Amino acid sequence: MTTTQVGIVGAGPAGMLVATLLRRAGVDCVVVEQRDRAYVEQRSRGGTVEHRVVDLLRRHDLAGGLLATGQVENKIEFRMAGRRYPLRYDPVAQGRSHYIYPQQFLVRDLVEAYLADGGDLRFETPARVITGIEGDRPRIEVESPSGGSEVIECDVVVGADGEYGVARRTVPAGALHAYEHQYGYAWLAVLAQAPPSSDCVINSIHESGSCVHVRRTPEVSRFYLQCARDDTTEDWPEERIWKEIRLRLALDEPWTLHEGPILSTGTVRMRSLVCAPMRHGSLFLAGDAAHVVPPVGGKGFNVALADAEELALGLMDRFLRHDHERLDAYSPTRLARIWRVQEFVHWMMDLVNTPGLGTPAAPFLHRVQMARLERIVASPPYGAAFLEDYIGYW
């Protein structure tokens, strides 16, 4: 049996940031992850890093890779009816910007930093059962790579193992409430071996459905296509994907779409979820284990990292200063921020995605979208309010 102060389930961005900050502060912790290291460091997810998270990483001397190779983004572009609608972050942002730095790159950086500090990180070690969370010595039963089992006994468990992990399922029935909203459509997520066709995110509002273009690296681009909720990847062969991207991003002016081999596709059934509270006894939830937002606006990655910092700081207070106040306030503190993010993402979903797609109401609702976009561009106060939320100014 292993004993430690904090047992962390999941080596994604939230789990690894908690672990790295605790290790550097002298709080003992063990991280267990069901996947192997190569999978974790190559798992493609979000890539838009808000200035608040950049500042967070700088404060903790973890921004080296991001600052060296990340791409600065200081504007967003909408498209509609063949026209561009660019919005620059300044003067609203006062010099703040986004960085484009794929999530797997940051996870790799955090893994390397944690291991360099002598951290205990166990890949291919799935957590099977978490027990004792209503007491002061919870246990994580894990399966070792050799097939045997081991118990990790700790003071606190951090559940950062995603929406379908064991941590959330450990909370007793009735002790956690899940607030959920299902959207009536899905997004086809496309990763292509193609140089970005823009120096910023493009959100195209189109009567056939939205199309979002996001740069990932100088050689790789991400596209999202609004589609029917029950569509599968088999419904979207490569020829159809590029045809719809060309149609939905088209402009009435010269512009080049860079195409290339499609590396992967997947359907994302758009939904929002918040679980409250984010703590039960000695178990604390962070990231996707506690909340899910659709990818529009790039918020999920950022809010998970903000969870991680707040939780790590509360744990430091508890173990280093015997002060429980910040840790006890973790759930209400984070939920206030999370609901603010959910409100903005819900609003932006209606802005970008064609509502009522395929129904008689679609032409009317699409024109409401057009009017909303025109107001964002024409009204400085309305545009500024949008940018404050989008940039993550607050």
Side-chain angles (χ1 to χ4, degrees):
M1 182 172 70
T2 301
T3 59
T4 188
Q5 290 174 299
V6 181
I8 301 172
V9 183
M16 287 314 306
L17 182 58
V18 172
T20 303
L21 297 183
L22 292 182
R23 180 69 187 174
R24 289 186 170 185
V27 177
D28 191 50
C29 57
V30 175
V31 184
V32 295
E33 165 59 46
Q34 66 173 336
R35 302 284 192 168
D36 61 35
R37 181 172 180 177
Y39 180 90
V40 168
E41 295 185 346
Q42 295 170 16
R43 180 169 44 194
S44 179
R45 293 291 187 269
T48 301
V49 188
E50 293 180 352
H51 80 92
R52 292 166 61 95
V53 173
V54 176
D55 288 347
L56 178 165
L57 296 170
R58 280 181 169 139
R59 284 196 301 273
H60 300 293
D61 194 27
L62 293 169
L66 180 149
L67 296 176
T69 63
Q71 304 168 78
V72 176
E73 192 155 282
N74 53 26
K75 65 180 178 179
I76 179 174
E77 180 180 309
F78 291 95
R79 293 187 180 183
M80 184 178 64
R83 292 180 57 195
R84 297 178 191 259
Y85 294 82
L87 286 174
R88 293 196 170 273
Y89 294 178
D90 279 335
V92 173
Q94 300 177 18
R96 296 169 175 84
S97 63
H98 283 147
Y99 274 78
I100 302 300
Y101 192 63
Q103 174 178 309
Q104 66 269 27
F105 291 6
L106 180 58
V107 170
R108 177 200 62 200
D109 295 346
L110 293 172
V111 166
E112 290 177 354
Y114 181 67
L115 293 176
D117 288 337
D120 187 344
L121 172 52
R122 307 178 187 184
F123 291 105
E124 299 181 85
T125 307
R128 295 304 187 196
V129 180
I130 302 172
T131 59
I133 62 173
E134 294 176 333
D136 57 5
R137 293 300 290 172
R139 294 183 169 199
I140 308 169
E141 183 180 327
V142 302
E143 181 181 319
S144 68
S146 62
S149 63
E150 184 183 355
V151 171
I152 299 171
E153 186 179 78
C154 46
D155 297 297
V156 169
V157 176
V158 173
D161 53 344
E163 183 178 0
Y164 303 107
V166 68
R168 190 199 298 173
R169 299 198 306 270
T170 301
V171 180
L176 181 147
H177 189 89
Y179 300 90
E180 185 174 10
H181 176 70
Q182 300 275 354
Y183 293 88
Y185 49 82
W187 272 10
L188 182 76
V190 179
L191 197 67
Q193 187 74 41
S197 303
S198 172
D199 60 354
C200 69
V201 172
I202 301 172
N203 289 271
S204 182
I205 300 170
H206 194 277
E207 60 188 355
S208 297
S210 63
C211 179
V212 179
H213 170 42
V214 186
R215 53 182 175 160
R216 279 291 177 260
T217 72
E219 299 82 26
V220 175
S221 297
R222 169 75 79 183
F223 298 89
Y224 294 104
L225 288 164
Q226 184 183 355
C227 61
R229 187 170 178 81
D230 57 356
D231 275 6
T232 67
T233 54
E234 288 72 25
D235 296 314
W236 287 86
E238 187 163 338
E239 181 181 353
R240 183 186 179 191
I241 289 171
W242 286 116
K243 178 181 177 181
E244 284 298 315
I245 291 173
R246 288 191 293 268
L247 173 69
R248 299 184 194 188
L249 292 180
L251 287 172
D252 295 335
E253 61 179 82
W255 174 72
T256 300
L257 171 66
H258 298 137
E259 301 182 21
I262 291 179
L263 303 175
S264 67
T265 60
T267 53
V268 182
R269 289 177 172 84
M270 308 300 272
R271 59 194 287 265
S272 293
L273 175 74
V274 178
C275 294
M278 293 170 61
R279 172 187 186 177
H280 184 80
S282 53
L283 170 66
F284 294 80
L285 302 177
D288 285 358
H291 46 76
V292 176
V293 293
V296 66
K299 297 297 182 182
F301 178 33
N302 293 279
V303 76
L305 290 169
D307 286 351
E309 183 191 38
E310 184 61 28
L311 182 52
L313 293 175
L315 290 168
M316 290 177 204
D317 279 355
R318 171 183 168 167
F319 288 109
L320 302 178
R321 290 171 281 279
H322 308 291
D323 180 351
H324 291 245
E325 183 177 358
R326 187 165 192 166
L327 188 60
D328 288 344
Y330 167 71
S331 180
T333 297
R334 291 304 307 149
L335 285 170
R337 167 69 175 165
I338 289 158
W339 279 115
R340 184 71 184 85
V341 169
Q342 291 283 2
E343 183 275 330
F344 171 70
V345 170
H346 185 77
W347 179 90
M348 194 170 176
M349 289 286 285
D350 285 345
L351 170 67
V352 173
N353 294 284
T354 302
L357 193 63
T359 71
F364 171 85
L365 295 172
H366 181 54
R367 280 155 182 78
V368 171
Q369 284 183 290
M370 296 169 70
R372 185 179 293 127
L373 177 58
E374 288 170 350
R375 184 182 176 195
I376 290 173
V377 175
S379 168
Y382 196 64
F386 163 76
L387 284 172
E388 285 180 359
D389 281 335
Y390 181 74
I391 297 164
Y393 181 78
W394 23 263

